[in-house]
mmCIF file of all heavy atoms in Angstrom:
data_model
loop_
_atom_site.group_PDB
_atom_site.id
_atom_site.type_symbol
_atom_site.label_atom_id
_atom_site.label_comp_id
_atom_site.label_asym_id
_atom_site.label_seq_id
_atom_site.Cartn_x
_atom_site.Cartn_y
_atom_site.Cartn_z
ATOM 1 N N GLY A 1 -48.699 103.550 -81.754
ATOM 2 C CA GLY A 1 -49.476 103.149 -80.646
ATOM 3 C C GLY A 1 -50.812 103.811 -80.641
ATOM 4 O O GLY A 1 -51.475 103.858 -81.593
ATOM 5 N N PRO A 2 -51.186 104.310 -79.462
ATOM 6 C CA PRO A 2 -52.517 105.072 -79.343
ATOM 7 C C PRO A 2 -52.667 106.245 -80.290
ATOM 8 O O PRO A 2 -53.799 106.667 -80.635
ATOM 9 C CB PRO A 2 -52.545 105.527 -77.835
ATOM 10 C CG PRO A 2 -51.595 104.601 -77.119
ATOM 11 C CD PRO A 2 -50.485 104.315 -78.129
ATOM 12 N N ARG A 3 -51.476 106.873 -80.702
ATOM 13 C CA ARG A 3 -51.618 108.019 -81.594
ATOM 14 C C ARG A 3 -52.126 107.574 -82.986
ATOM 15 O O ARG A 3 -52.470 108.422 -83.754
ATOM 16 C CB ARG A 3 -50.176 108.640 -81.751
ATOM 17 C CG ARG A 3 -49.625 109.221 -80.478
ATOM 18 C CD ARG A 3 -48.334 109.929 -80.828
ATOM 19 N NE ARG A 3 -47.660 110.591 -79.703
ATOM 20 C CZ ARG A 3 -46.756 109.909 -78.919
ATOM 21 N NH1 ARG A 3 -46.466 108.744 -79.155
ATOM 22 N NH2 ARG A 3 -46.193 110.680 -77.948
ATOM 23 N N ALA A 4 -52.041 106.286 -83.300
ATOM 24 C CA ALA A 4 -52.559 105.801 -84.563
ATOM 25 C C ALA A 4 -54.010 106.116 -84.850
ATOM 26 O O ALA A 4 -54.466 106.188 -85.910
ATOM 27 C CB ALA A 4 -52.169 104.326 -84.738
ATOM 28 N N ALA A 5 -54.701 106.384 -83.752
ATOM 29 C CA ALA A 5 -56.109 106.813 -83.891
ATOM 30 C C ALA A 5 -56.315 108.083 -84.507
ATOM 31 O O ALA A 5 -57.405 108.431 -85.094
ATOM 32 C CB ALA A 5 -56.861 106.832 -82.511
ATOM 33 N N ARG A 6 -55.212 108.877 -84.598
ATOM 34 C CA ARG A 6 -55.267 110.192 -85.280
ATOM 35 C C ARG A 6 -54.707 110.152 -86.682
ATOM 36 O O ARG A 6 -54.385 111.164 -87.321
ATOM 37 C CB ARG A 6 -54.440 111.191 -84.491
ATOM 38 C CG ARG A 6 -55.041 111.533 -83.050
ATOM 39 C CD ARG A 6 -56.218 112.343 -83.042
ATOM 40 N NE ARG A 6 -56.035 113.583 -83.758
ATOM 41 C CZ ARG A 6 -55.501 114.705 -83.214
ATOM 42 N NH1 ARG A 6 -55.133 114.685 -81.964
ATOM 43 N NH2 ARG A 6 -55.439 115.805 -83.940
ATOM 44 N N LEU A 7 -54.506 108.866 -87.290
ATOM 45 C CA LEU A 7 -53.917 108.750 -88.452
ATOM 46 C C LEU A 7 -54.852 107.882 -89.419
ATOM 47 O O LEU A 7 -55.249 106.777 -88.910
ATOM 48 C CB LEU A 7 -52.505 108.075 -88.435
ATOM 49 C CG LEU A 7 -51.822 107.913 -89.731
ATOM 50 C CD1 LEU A 7 -51.326 109.275 -90.347
ATOM 51 C CD2 LEU A 7 -50.633 106.927 -89.573
ATOM 52 N N GLN A 8 -55.046 108.196 -90.652
ATOM 53 C CA GLN A 8 -55.672 107.375 -91.545
ATOM 54 C C GLN A 8 -54.729 107.068 -92.679
ATOM 55 O O GLN A 8 -54.312 107.930 -93.458
ATOM 56 C CB GLN A 8 -56.984 108.060 -92.192
ATOM 57 C CG GLN A 8 -57.658 107.240 -93.235
ATOM 58 C CD GLN A 8 -58.088 105.909 -92.649
ATOM 59 O OE1 GLN A 8 -58.988 105.801 -91.777
ATOM 60 N NE2 GLN A 8 -57.663 104.880 -93.255
ATOM 61 N N ALA A 9 -54.443 105.785 -92.904
ATOM 62 C CA ALA A 9 -53.556 105.362 -93.933
ATOM 63 C C ALA A 9 -54.375 105.022 -95.137
ATOM 64 O O ALA A 9 -55.334 104.315 -95.115
ATOM 65 C CB ALA A 9 -52.720 104.063 -93.421
ATOM 66 N N LEU A 10 -53.904 105.465 -96.309
ATOM 67 C CA LEU A 10 -54.574 105.377 -97.597
ATOM 68 C C LEU A 10 -53.629 104.795 -98.647
ATOM 69 O O LEU A 10 -52.566 105.130 -98.789
ATOM 70 C CB LEU A 10 -55.228 106.711 -98.049
ATOM 71 C CG LEU A 10 -56.163 107.368 -97.109
ATOM 72 C CD1 LEU A 10 -56.432 108.804 -97.604
ATOM 73 C CD2 LEU A 10 -57.455 106.639 -96.984
ATOM 74 N N PHE A 11 -54.253 103.826 -99.443
ATOM 75 C CA PHE A 11 -53.577 103.326 -100.578
ATOM 76 C C PHE A 11 -54.395 103.559 -101.813
ATOM 77 O O PHE A 11 -55.413 103.053 -101.997
ATOM 78 C CB PHE A 11 -53.280 101.859 -100.392
ATOM 79 C CG PHE A 11 -52.594 101.204 -101.613
ATOM 80 C CD1 PHE A 11 -51.210 101.406 -101.773
ATOM 81 C CD2 PHE A 11 -53.299 100.290 -102.398
ATOM 82 C CE1 PHE A 11 -50.474 100.808 -102.757
ATOM 83 C CE2 PHE A 11 -52.615 99.732 -103.453
ATOM 84 C CZ PHE A 11 -51.239 99.941 -103.703
ATOM 85 N N ILE A 12 -53.924 104.449 -102.773
ATOM 86 C CA ILE A 12 -54.699 104.833 -103.945
ATOM 87 C C ILE A 12 -54.192 104.033 -105.070
ATOM 88 O O ILE A 12 -52.929 104.201 -105.434
ATOM 89 C CB ILE A 12 -54.547 106.280 -104.241
ATOM 90 C CG1 ILE A 12 -55.185 107.125 -103.066
ATOM 91 C CG2 ILE A 12 -55.276 106.643 -105.541
ATOM 92 C CD1 ILE A 12 -55.098 108.636 -103.232
ATOM 93 N N THR A 13 -54.895 103.156 -105.704
ATOM 94 C CA THR A 13 -54.435 102.375 -106.899
ATOM 95 C C THR A 13 -54.357 103.144 -108.115
ATOM 96 O O THR A 13 -55.279 104.022 -108.453
ATOM 97 C CB THR A 13 -55.406 101.131 -107.104
ATOM 98 O OG1 THR A 13 -54.855 100.437 -108.226
ATOM 99 C CG2 THR A 13 -56.811 101.522 -107.371
ATOM 100 N N VAL A 14 -53.276 103.004 -108.881
ATOM 101 C CA VAL A 14 -53.087 103.700 -110.132
ATOM 102 C C VAL A 14 -53.480 102.664 -111.258
ATOM 103 O O VAL A 14 -53.294 102.991 -112.407
ATOM 104 C CB VAL A 14 -51.660 104.120 -110.268
ATOM 105 C CG1 VAL A 14 -51.327 105.145 -109.304
ATOM 106 C CG2 VAL A 14 -50.609 102.926 -110.273
ATOM 107 N N ASP A 15 -54.097 101.537 -110.835
ATOM 108 C CA ASP A 15 -54.461 100.557 -111.880
ATOM 109 C C ASP A 15 -55.937 100.113 -111.613
ATOM 110 O O ASP A 15 -56.155 98.935 -111.287
ATOM 111 C CB ASP A 15 -53.555 99.329 -111.800
ATOM 112 C CG ASP A 15 -53.674 98.267 -112.889
ATOM 113 O OD1 ASP A 15 -54.397 98.666 -113.854
ATOM 114 O OD2 ASP A 15 -53.264 97.214 -112.776
ATOM 115 N N PRO A 16 -56.812 101.019 -111.542
ATOM 116 C CA PRO A 16 -58.248 100.647 -111.364
ATOM 117 C C PRO A 16 -58.899 99.690 -112.313
ATOM 118 O O PRO A 16 -59.847 99.004 -112.022
ATOM 119 C CB PRO A 16 -59.023 101.996 -111.352
ATOM 120 C CG PRO A 16 -58.162 102.863 -112.252
ATOM 121 C CD PRO A 16 -56.691 102.416 -111.993
ATOM 122 N N GLU A 17 -58.251 99.557 -113.441
ATOM 123 C CA GLU A 17 -58.686 98.606 -114.552
ATOM 124 C C GLU A 17 -58.595 97.183 -113.962
ATOM 125 O O GLU A 17 -59.509 96.267 -114.201
ATOM 126 C CB GLU A 17 -57.862 98.794 -115.754
ATOM 127 C CG GLU A 17 -58.300 97.944 -116.894
ATOM 128 C CD GLU A 17 -57.437 98.112 -118.168
ATOM 129 O OE1 GLU A 17 -56.790 99.127 -118.205
ATOM 130 O OE2 GLU A 17 -57.405 97.225 -119.039
ATOM 131 N N ARG A 18 -57.586 96.859 -113.236
ATOM 132 C CA ARG A 18 -57.455 95.480 -112.722
ATOM 133 C C ARG A 18 -57.740 95.422 -111.221
ATOM 134 O O ARG A 18 -58.119 94.283 -110.674
ATOM 135 C CB ARG A 18 -55.964 95.039 -112.915
ATOM 136 C CG ARG A 18 -55.652 94.788 -114.444
ATOM 137 C CD ARG A 18 -54.319 94.188 -114.617
ATOM 138 N NE ARG A 18 -53.205 94.994 -114.208
ATOM 139 C CZ ARG A 18 -51.937 94.849 -114.397
ATOM 140 N NH1 ARG A 18 -51.574 93.749 -115.080
ATOM 141 N NH2 ARG A 18 -51.040 95.611 -113.947
ATOM 142 N N ASP A 19 -57.561 96.506 -110.461
ATOM 143 C CA ASP A 19 -57.699 96.493 -109.008
ATOM 144 C C ASP A 19 -59.192 96.792 -108.694
ATOM 145 O O ASP A 19 -59.537 97.904 -108.472
ATOM 146 C CB ASP A 19 -56.753 97.473 -108.377
ATOM 147 C CG ASP A 19 -55.337 97.076 -108.548
ATOM 148 O OD1 ASP A 19 -55.096 95.977 -108.997
ATOM 149 O OD2 ASP A 19 -54.504 97.974 -108.196
ATOM 150 N N SER A 20 -59.979 95.705 -108.673
ATOM 151 C CA SER A 20 -61.432 95.936 -108.327
ATOM 152 C C SER A 20 -61.521 96.263 -106.850
ATOM 153 O O SER A 20 -60.547 96.125 -106.098
ATOM 154 C CB SER A 20 -62.238 94.584 -108.678
ATOM 155 O OG SER A 20 -61.744 93.512 -107.788
ATOM 156 N N ALA A 21 -62.653 96.549 -106.457
ATOM 157 C CA ALA A 21 -62.942 96.923 -105.041
ATOM 158 C C ALA A 21 -62.561 95.682 -104.116
ATOM 159 O O ALA A 21 -61.954 95.869 -103.099
ATOM 160 C CB ALA A 21 -64.395 97.302 -104.811
ATOM 161 N N GLU A 22 -62.982 94.549 -104.546
ATOM 162 C CA GLU A 22 -62.738 93.333 -103.698
ATOM 163 C C GLU A 22 -61.318 93.107 -103.645
ATOM 164 O O GLU A 22 -60.704 92.750 -102.593
ATOM 165 C CB GLU A 22 -63.480 92.188 -104.268
ATOM 166 C CG GLU A 22 -63.307 90.878 -103.491
ATOM 167 C CD GLU A 22 -64.142 89.728 -103.989
ATOM 168 O OE1 GLU A 22 -64.854 89.910 -105.016
ATOM 169 O OE2 GLU A 22 -64.101 88.581 -103.364
ATOM 170 N N VAL A 23 -60.547 93.143 -104.787
ATOM 171 C CA VAL A 23 -59.100 92.915 -104.827
ATOM 172 C C VAL A 23 -58.428 93.874 -103.992
ATOM 173 O O VAL A 23 -57.466 93.528 -103.227
ATOM 174 C CB VAL A 23 -58.640 92.897 -106.284
ATOM 175 C CG1 VAL A 23 -57.192 92.962 -106.382
ATOM 176 C CG2 VAL A 23 -59.220 91.736 -107.101
ATOM 177 N N LEU A 24 -58.795 95.137 -104.043
ATOM 178 C CA LEU A 24 -58.138 96.155 -103.328
ATOM 179 C C LEU A 24 -58.406 96.031 -101.891
ATOM 180 O O LEU A 24 -57.443 96.207 -101.015
ATOM 181 C CB LEU A 24 -58.660 97.487 -103.767
ATOM 182 C CG LEU A 24 -57.967 98.797 -103.232
ATOM 183 C CD1 LEU A 24 -56.454 98.791 -103.638
ATOM 184 C CD2 LEU A 24 -58.609 100.041 -103.741
ATOM 185 N N ARG A 25 -59.587 95.621 -101.385
ATOM 186 C CA ARG A 25 -59.869 95.439 -99.893
ATOM 187 C C ARG A 25 -59.004 94.248 -99.409
ATOM 188 O O ARG A 25 -58.399 94.400 -98.295
ATOM 189 C CB ARG A 25 -61.305 95.037 -99.834
ATOM 190 C CG ARG A 25 -61.779 94.717 -98.359
ATOM 191 C CD ARG A 25 -63.099 94.100 -98.227
ATOM 192 N NE ARG A 25 -64.142 95.020 -98.635
ATOM 193 C CZ ARG A 25 -64.886 94.968 -99.678
ATOM 194 N NH1 ARG A 25 -64.705 93.910 -100.456
ATOM 195 N NH2 ARG A 25 -65.807 95.883 -99.964
ATOM 196 N N ASP A 26 -58.896 93.148 -100.132
ATOM 197 C CA ASP A 26 -58.118 91.994 -99.645
ATOM 198 C C ASP A 26 -56.595 92.386 -99.536
ATOM 199 O O ASP A 26 -55.940 91.953 -98.679
ATOM 200 C CB ASP A 26 -58.318 90.800 -100.601
ATOM 201 C CG ASP A 26 -59.709 90.256 -100.516
ATOM 202 O OD1 ASP A 26 -60.406 90.594 -99.540
ATOM 203 O OD2 ASP A 26 -60.122 89.515 -101.391
ATOM 204 N N TYR A 27 -56.167 93.160 -100.529
ATOM 205 C CA TYR A 27 -54.727 93.482 -100.628
ATOM 206 C C TYR A 27 -54.295 94.370 -99.412
ATOM 207 O O TYR A 27 -53.375 94.072 -98.753
ATOM 208 C CB TYR A 27 -54.502 94.207 -101.974
ATOM 209 C CG TYR A 27 -53.052 94.595 -102.169
ATOM 210 C CD1 TYR A 27 -52.091 93.558 -102.495
ATOM 211 C CD2 TYR A 27 -52.579 95.926 -102.136
ATOM 212 C CE1 TYR A 27 -50.754 93.884 -102.554
ATOM 213 C CE2 TYR A 27 -51.273 96.266 -102.327
ATOM 214 C CZ TYR A 27 -50.337 95.258 -102.534
ATOM 215 O OH TYR A 27 -48.984 95.560 -102.768
ATOM 216 N N THR A 28 -55.043 95.442 -99.152
ATOM 217 C CA THR A 28 -54.693 96.337 -98.034
ATOM 218 C C THR A 28 -54.847 95.628 -96.751
ATOM 219 O O THR A 28 -54.052 95.868 -95.808
ATOM 220 C CB THR A 28 -55.455 97.566 -98.090
ATOM 221 O OG1 THR A 28 -56.947 97.290 -98.100
ATOM 222 C CG2 THR A 28 -55.186 98.463 -99.379
ATOM 223 N N ALA A 29 -55.890 94.710 -96.574
ATOM 224 C CA ALA A 29 -56.170 94.072 -95.299
ATOM 225 C C ALA A 29 -55.015 93.035 -94.935
ATOM 226 O O ALA A 29 -54.680 92.817 -93.764
ATOM 227 C CB ALA A 29 -57.410 93.329 -95.367
ATOM 228 N N ALA A 30 -54.246 92.662 -95.966
ATOM 229 C CA ALA A 30 -53.219 91.713 -95.802
ATOM 230 C C ALA A 30 -52.000 92.420 -95.140
ATOM 231 O O ALA A 30 -51.158 91.741 -94.508
ATOM 232 C CB ALA A 30 -52.711 91.127 -97.139
ATOM 233 N N PHE A 31 -51.974 93.758 -95.220
ATOM 234 C CA PHE A 31 -50.876 94.435 -94.586
ATOM 235 C C PHE A 31 -51.292 94.958 -93.203
ATOM 236 O O PHE A 31 -50.550 94.822 -92.260
ATOM 237 C CB PHE A 31 -50.437 95.518 -95.432
ATOM 238 C CG PHE A 31 -49.707 95.116 -96.721
ATOM 239 C CD1 PHE A 31 -50.413 94.883 -97.854
ATOM 240 C CD2 PHE A 31 -48.320 94.827 -96.709
ATOM 241 C CE1 PHE A 31 -49.828 94.478 -99.020
ATOM 242 C CE2 PHE A 31 -47.724 94.398 -97.834
ATOM 243 C CZ PHE A 31 -48.467 94.238 -99.008
ATOM 244 N N HIS A 32 -52.486 95.588 -93.182
ATOM 245 C CA HIS A 32 -53.016 96.122 -91.873
ATOM 246 C C HIS A 32 -54.494 96.550 -92.056
ATOM 247 O O HIS A 32 -54.827 97.161 -93.100
ATOM 248 C CB HIS A 32 -52.253 97.343 -91.332
ATOM 249 C CG HIS A 32 -52.453 97.609 -89.915
ATOM 250 N ND1 HIS A 32 -53.533 98.287 -89.443
ATOM 251 C CD2 HIS A 32 -51.696 97.384 -88.857
ATOM 252 C CE1 HIS A 32 -53.460 98.348 -88.167
ATOM 253 N NE2 HIS A 32 -52.366 97.861 -87.747
ATOM 254 N N PRO A 33 -55.373 96.168 -91.105
ATOM 255 C CA PRO A 33 -56.747 96.473 -91.331
ATOM 256 C C PRO A 33 -57.069 97.937 -91.424
ATOM 257 O O PRO A 33 -58.168 98.405 -91.863
ATOM 258 C CB PRO A 33 -57.496 95.747 -90.122
ATOM 259 C CG PRO A 33 -56.337 95.585 -89.173
ATOM 260 C CD PRO A 33 -55.111 95.356 -89.966
ATOM 261 N N ALA A 34 -56.121 98.801 -90.875
ATOM 262 C CA ALA A 34 -56.425 100.212 -90.783
ATOM 263 C C ALA A 34 -56.101 100.913 -92.098
ATOM 264 O O ALA A 34 -56.438 102.059 -92.255
ATOM 265 C CB ALA A 34 -55.608 100.905 -89.681
ATOM 266 N N ILE A 35 -55.512 100.165 -93.099
ATOM 267 C CA ILE A 35 -55.161 100.771 -94.336
ATOM 268 C C ILE A 35 -56.451 100.788 -95.218
ATOM 269 O O ILE A 35 -56.863 99.681 -95.441
ATOM 270 C CB ILE A 35 -54.039 100.069 -94.997
ATOM 271 C CG1 ILE A 35 -52.698 100.099 -94.098
ATOM 272 C CG2 ILE A 35 -53.622 100.711 -96.330
ATOM 273 C CD1 ILE A 35 -51.543 99.269 -94.664
ATOM 274 N N LEU A 36 -56.831 101.841 -95.741
ATOM 275 C CA LEU A 36 -58.018 101.920 -96.601
ATOM 276 C C LEU A 36 -57.548 102.107 -98.054
ATOM 277 O O LEU A 36 -56.847 103.035 -98.454
ATOM 278 C CB LEU A 36 -58.889 103.159 -96.209
ATOM 279 C CG LEU A 36 -60.186 103.284 -96.955
ATOM 280 C CD1 LEU A 36 -61.104 102.134 -96.688
ATOM 281 C CD2 LEU A 36 -60.784 104.653 -96.468
ATOM 282 N N GLY A 37 -58.093 101.245 -98.913
ATOM 283 C CA GLY A 37 -57.784 101.387 -100.370
ATOM 284 C C GLY A 37 -58.806 102.221 -100.986
ATOM 285 O O GLY A 37 -59.989 102.239 -100.621
ATOM 286 N N LEU A 38 -58.283 103.003 -101.945
ATOM 287 C CA LEU A 38 -59.176 103.889 -102.734
ATOM 288 C C LEU A 38 -59.011 103.647 -104.212
ATOM 289 O O LEU A 38 -57.868 103.500 -104.713
ATOM 290 C CB LEU A 38 -58.950 105.338 -102.345
ATOM 291 C CG LEU A 38 -59.139 105.735 -100.931
ATOM 292 C CD1 LEU A 38 -58.823 107.300 -100.750
ATOM 293 C CD2 LEU A 38 -60.601 105.555 -100.504
ATOM 294 N N ARG A 39 -60.007 103.820 -105.006
ATOM 295 C CA ARG A 39 -59.966 103.667 -106.490
ATOM 296 C C ARG A 39 -60.976 104.674 -107.077
ATOM 297 O O ARG A 39 -61.875 105.182 -106.422
ATOM 298 C CB ARG A 39 -60.325 102.228 -106.893
ATOM 299 C CG ARG A 39 -61.624 101.825 -106.531
ATOM 300 C CD ARG A 39 -61.783 100.203 -106.790
ATOM 301 N NE ARG A 39 -61.460 99.920 -108.095
ATOM 302 C CZ ARG A 39 -62.226 99.905 -109.136
ATOM 303 N NH1 ARG A 39 -63.603 100.352 -108.926
ATOM 304 N NH2 ARG A 39 -61.995 99.538 -110.292
ATOM 305 N N GLY A 40 -60.825 104.878 -108.363
ATOM 306 C CA GLY A 40 -61.769 105.793 -109.108
ATOM 307 C C GLY A 40 -61.619 105.576 -110.572
ATOM 308 O O GLY A 40 -60.794 104.749 -111.011
ATOM 309 N N SER A 41 -62.478 106.349 -111.310
ATOM 310 C CA SER A 41 -62.383 106.293 -112.722
ATOM 311 C C SER A 41 -61.031 106.842 -113.205
ATOM 312 O O SER A 41 -60.326 107.575 -112.483
ATOM 313 C CB SER A 41 -63.411 107.194 -113.377
ATOM 314 O OG SER A 41 -63.259 108.523 -113.060
#
């Protein structure tokens, strides 16, 4: 509920080769807009 404002949910992809920024954004948004996808080299 309101406590969720004190929580940041993160999904870190272990497959950055295929999980582009756009793909990752659409994927996490399908579950909840508050989930933030992260990727890196």
Side-chain angles (χ1 to χ4, degrees):
R3 295 186 182 91
R6 297 286 305 276
L7 179 73
Q8 177 60 61
L10 300 169
F11 179 74
I12 299 177
T13 177
V14 296
D15 189 16
E17 182 178 340
R18 294 186 297 189
D19 294 350
S20 66
E22 183 178 0
V23 167
L24 190 58
R25 178 191 295 111
D26 292 344
Y27 183 72
T28 56
F31 293 93
H32 197 283
I35 302 174
L36 181 65
L38 298 178
R39 62 191 303 275
S41 67

